[in-house]
Amino acid sequence: MVKIGIITGSTRDSRVNLQVAEWVKSIADKRTDAEFELVDIKDYHLPKFNEPIPAIMSQDYQAPEAYPWSKKINGLDGFIFVTPEYNKAITSGLKDAIDYLYVEWNHKAAGIVSYGSTLGVTAANNLRLILTVPKVATVGPSVALSLFTDFQDMSTFNPAPYHEDSLTKTIDDVVSWSTALKTVRE
Ligand SMILES: Cc1cc2nc3c(=O)[nH]c(=O)nc-3n(C[C@H](O)[C@H](O)[C@H](O)COP(=O)(O)O)c2cc1C
């Protein structure tokens, strides 16, 4: 069975991100065709990116925090990124977490769950473009959540029921593409 990491996209102390990531995990866990793990970028305490050599050229990382992060991503077959939108982009924390690695991401699949005052759609598209470089294939279906209608008081996550269907379609493709891409890595 493929292992899919649900990757958080915000590291703020007051983030709503974890509530959304936990909702994704609760729906994913109903399935029996893959294993799902919540991977919180905040737990890895990655410093602001300051590597002297890009990961595309060397995996000899200077930051000791990069090694557990590398090991975690290496052990996963696919991802579901849960991203907010900050000024029309993903957060600097998520960008750094992606930038730290290269081969660990290669030839894997990903789905995107976004949220924000404008549904986080621009951040989701920004993330799709970013992921082309480390060779992560993003599936078409996605989930886009509104800070105004899927959260109470913009802080307590309470998604409209129809989002579960979009999430299921997203996970369906992440699981099948992750399974298929295993053959490319082998
Ligand atoms: C600096 C900043 C910029 C933001 N810019 C956008 C934006 O461009 N589009 C949008 O939809 N929401 C935007 N928002 C709203 C965030 O998506 C919202 O605050 C969300 O809760 C942030 O996720 P987090 O709580 O998990 O960190 C912005 C929030 C912040 C703090």
Side-chain angles (χ1 to χ4, degrees):
M1 262 202 303
V2 288
K3 283 190 199 158
I4 309 297
I6 298 161
I7 315 281
T8 60
S10 170
T11 54
R12 288 198 306 158
D13 290 341
S14 58
R15 64 189 169 162
V16 298
N17 194 275
L18 217 44
Q19 296 178 59
V20 183
E22 281 163 359
W23 169 73
V24 171
K25 174 88 161 61
S26 71
I27 289 164
D29 279 346
K30 293 178 190 168
R31 309 171 68 104
T32 54
D33 56 354
E35 281 175 39
F36 297 89
E37 178 183 347
L38 208 163
V39 178
D40 188 358
I41 57 171
K42 195 174 168 83
D43 287 344
Y44 290 82
H45 305 287
L46 292 164
K48 191 166 169 52
F49 184 78
N50 189 27
E51 290 296 312
I53 305 171
I56 196 169
M57 294 167 68
S58 162
Q59 287 77 58
D60 188 12
Y61 304 125
Q62 181 175 270
E65 294 89 347
Y67 288 93
W69 177 237
S70 164
K71 191 174 173 204
K72 175 54 65 187
I73 298 303
N74 213 27
L76 295 166
D77 300 299
F79 316 101
I80 297 169
F81 288 91
V82 180
T83 182
E85 181 166 304
Y86 285 9
N87 294 327
K88 298 293 170 208
I90 61 169
T91 67
S92 57
L94 178 57
K95 182 64 163 55
D96 275 355
I98 294 167
D99 292 347
Y100 261 106
L101 309 178
Y102 179 73
V103 288
E104 298 87 339
W105 298 115
N106 284 182
H107 301 302
K108 296 179 181 177
I112 300 173
V113 174
S114 68
Y115 58 90
S117 51
T118 54
L119 313 182
V121 172
T122 308
N125 288 336
N126 171 238
L127 182 55
R128 282 183 195 280
L129 186 62
I130 290 164
L131 290 173
T132 58
V133 180
K135 301 182 184 177
V136 178
T138 53
V139 303
S142 61
V143 182
L145 302 155
S146 167
L147 206 55
F148 300 115
T149 57
D150 294 307
F151 293 82
Q152 277 166 10
D153 302 323
M154 294 197 276
S155 58
T156 306
F157 188 46
N158 184 20
Y162 67 87
H163 290 302
E164 182 165 345
D165 184 51
S166 306
L167 179 58
T168 300
K169 289 186 171 99
T170 305
I171 302 173
D172 283 347
D173 283 359
V174 172
V175 170
S176 60
W177 286 25
S178 296
T179 307
L181 284 169
K182 256 187 161 185
T183 60
V184 176
R185 294 201 301 282
E186 283 156 12

